[in-house]
Amino acid sequence: MAPPVYDVVIIGGGIVGAACAAECVAAGLRVAIVEAKMIGGGATAAGMGHLTVMDDSDAQFALTRYSQLLWDGLREELPHEVEYDACGTIWVAADDEEMREVERKYEFYSTRGVAVEVLDAQSLREAEPNLRDGLVGGLRVAGDSVIYPPCAAQFFVDRSRARGADVFVGTGVREITADGVRLRDGSAISAGVIVNAAGSWSPELTSGIDVKKRKGHLVITDRYPRFLRHQLVELGYLKSAHTMTAESVAFNIQPRRTGQLLIGSSRQFEADEASVDGSILSRMLSRAIEFLPGLGKLASLRAWTGFRAATPDKLPLIGPDVHHPRLYLATGHEGLGITTSLGTAKLLVDQIVNRRPQIPVTPYLPARVVGAEPAHV
Ligand SMILES: Cc1cc2nc3c(=O)[nH]c(=O)nc-3n(C[C@H](O)[C@H](O)[C@H](O)COP(=O)(O)OP(=O)(O)OC[C@H]3O[C@@H](n4cnc5c(N)ncnc54)[C@H](O)[C@@H]3O)c2cc1C
């Protein structure tokens, strides 16, 4: 029997693959999604679900801001279980040096149309009464929000299926072929375009792409409604997220709609075991308790780990592979893939169907990393 033929086959049913599928279907393409294990079960299940605008680079800002606006536009359509919560972020400054970073970020965001507010020590305490004394201030980013990522991935897959996509779950892709994919059970799917959206597994299917696993730990507490109002992130987090070699922890905590508190986070390279590392966990919790002393009295329920798919320049790979003429990449989203999934999906489909993108796509093209021209655009 001839293999089924699609316009696009997407490998990976995480938030990125799921969002890409929904966008492909919306563009009128016939789509197949192949997920080895479960929809939204990879990094998407492990992540925090903070939808946040970031300013590491102009390209990072452009993609996070574009994506955040797309999430805002989708807000009314998201089902209850996606737990969309417009809680906002406060970047917390512990000293004068970090307060200067608050001012820099204020300038950066406000000149680019993002609503931000500088908080002094008193207004920080009023905004988050459980923070310790002695903090100097912060930056509130009111438009940031939080979702529950696995349910968002499921929502995009369900929407795609309802509009005609075929979804294959349980058998992974063994290899990408000249005209599609071959699954581990030996069956084949033909497609005009193949999208590798397999997150930290993507290099297993496409050799030569520089995506490394970056392990992270998270802890979730029992329910403590009103303990926290915003996602809080220490400004020292930026130093931790920027370090490309060391293992690091930083204070990052999120109020869930359930009343639970999701505590992060750590970053480790060269740590491929999924097991929870007690010493990292205890450093992470100590850091959180330094900022929120009352946290020490609360009960935690579960700790887990996940793997970010990290690229050397901290930008995702979105676009044609340099070697395979039908292959596109949508991977390498590190710690921002929940946020940037929607912008990624738009930019990917813009390239597939030759639409004009809303933001420049060049900074995310896979060709930048290997310094070669793409095989096609
Ligand atoms: C601790 C932690 C905290 C984070 N916090 C945030 C946050 O607050 N905000 C944010 O924006 N981002 C956050 N992230 C990042 C975010 O979770 C990821 O960038 C995002 O989930 C990546 O989605 P993905 O679809 O690319 O990958 P994944 O979710 O990993 O999906 C890849 C899928 O591919 C499947 N797959 C793999 N191999 C194959 C194969 N051969 N065949 C078929 N399927 C295959 C896997 O089973 C998996 O389901 C965090 C990540 C971690 C680890």
Side-chain angles (χ1 to χ4, degrees):
M1 204 170 75
V5 180
Y6 297 90
D7 294 320
V8 183
V9 58
I10 294 172
I11 309 166
I15 191 92
V16 172
C20 290
E23 190 61 31
C24 284
V25 170
L29 301 171
R30 284 168 301 148
V31 174
I33 306 165
V34 183
E35 164 53 50
K37 292 185 177 156
M38 63 182 289
I39 300 300
T44 299
M48 279 188 118
H50 187 203
L51 303 180
T52 180
V53 64
M54 292 285 278
D55 61 347
D56 269 16
S57 62
D58 285 332
Q60 189 193 61
F61 173 79
L63 187 60
T64 53
R65 178 65 172 155
Y66 178 42
S67 299
Q68 188 180 60
L69 294 172
L70 292 168
W71 279 108
D72 287 352
L74 204 60
R75 191 174 164 169
E76 299 301 321
E77 296 169 56
L78 295 173
H80 180 72
E81 58 271 20
V82 174
E83 296 180 16
Y84 184 97
D85 185 1
C87 60
T89 303
I90 298 179
W91 291 90
V92 179
D95 55 30
D96 291 340
E97 186 194 348
E98 291 182 0
M99 206 56 200
R100 282 194 290 281
E101 177 61 11
V102 162
E103 279 144 25
R104 190 202 63 76
K105 280 171 100 61
Y106 175 83
E107 186 65 21
F108 185 96
Y109 286 133
S110 53
T111 54
R112 288 165 177 78
V114 179
V116 278
E117 179 191 358
V118 175
L119 306 178
D120 62 13
Q122 177 62 26
S123 38
L124 178 64
R125 187 169 304 113
E126 284 164 14
E128 289 294 349
N130 282 310
L131 278 170
R132 73 166 165 84
D133 292 337
L135 296 166
V136 291
L139 184 80
R140 178 162 26 209
V141 188
D144 283 0
S145 52
V146 161
I147 57 163
Y148 184 52
C151 288
Q154 189 65 55
F155 165 71
F156 292 127
V157 168
D158 290 346
R159 174 169 271 199
S160 305
R161 192 183 346 232
R163 296 176 179 178
D166 286 335
V167 183
F168 303 90
V169 176
T171 306
V173 169
R174 188 169 68 208
E175 60 172 339
I176 294 170
T177 59
D179 64 351
V181 296
R182 184 161 305 281
L183 307 197
R184 290 182 189 133
D185 64 6
S187 60
I189 296 176
S190 282
V193 166
I194 305 135
V195 178
N196 183 347
S200 61
W201 293 273
S202 52
E204 294 173 12
L205 294 167
T206 306
S207 59
I209 54 172
D210 197 354
V211 170
K212 290 199 169 60
K213 287 183 173 182
R214 202 172 191 191
K215 186 174 178 180
H217 285 71
L218 293 175
V219 173
I220 194 145
T221 69
D222 207 342
R223 294 171 191 238
Y224 301 99
R226 292 174 296 284
F227 184 88
L228 208 63
R229 300 164 186 168
H230 303 80
Q231 174 117 8
L232 301 181
V233 193
E234 66 163 306
L235 275 156
Y237 177 89
L238 296 173
K239 297 169 201 155
S240 143
H242 288 179
T243 317
M244 290 306 278
T245 49
E247 66 180 32
S248 56
V249 299
F251 167 61
N252 183 352
I253 188 166
Q254 176 179 100
R256 303 291 322 170
R257 284 259 295 268
T258 55
Q260 292 172 286
L261 305 168
L262 182 53
I263 307 166
S265 63
S266 65
R267 282 184 148 80
Q268 288 169 278
F269 279 120
E270 313 296 336
D272 287 354
E273 289 292 318
S275 53
V276 170
D277 177 332
S279 71
I280 293 276
L281 205 61
S282 97
R283 275 173 60 198
M284 201 176 86
L285 290 174
S286 304
R287 189 77 184 149
I289 291 167
E290 272 177 43
F291 281 85
L292 288 166
L295 208 54
K297 298 194 186 72
L298 309 187
S300 64
L301 295 183
R302 193 165 81 85
W304 68 89
T305 66
F307 294 97
R308 306 171 182 91
T311 62
D313 64 1
K314 290 173 257 143
L315 292 173
L317 306 173
I318 311 168
D321 179 61
V322 289
H323 300 298
H324 188 310
R326 291 196 192 183
L327 175 63
Y328 284 71
L329 305 177
T331 184
H333 293 77
E334 220 271 12
L336 284 170
I338 309 302
T339 305
T340 56
S341 55
L342 294 190
T344 296
K346 286 278 185 206
L347 295 181
L348 179 87
V349 178
D350 291 340
Q351 294 175 76
I352 292 174
V353 304
N354 210 11
R355 281 188 320 214
R356 190 185 167 81
Q358 299 288 305
I359 61 169
V361 73
T362 314
Y364 322 106
L365 291 177
R368 78 186 187 275
V369 188
V370 286
E373 288 301 311
H376 63 151
V377 179

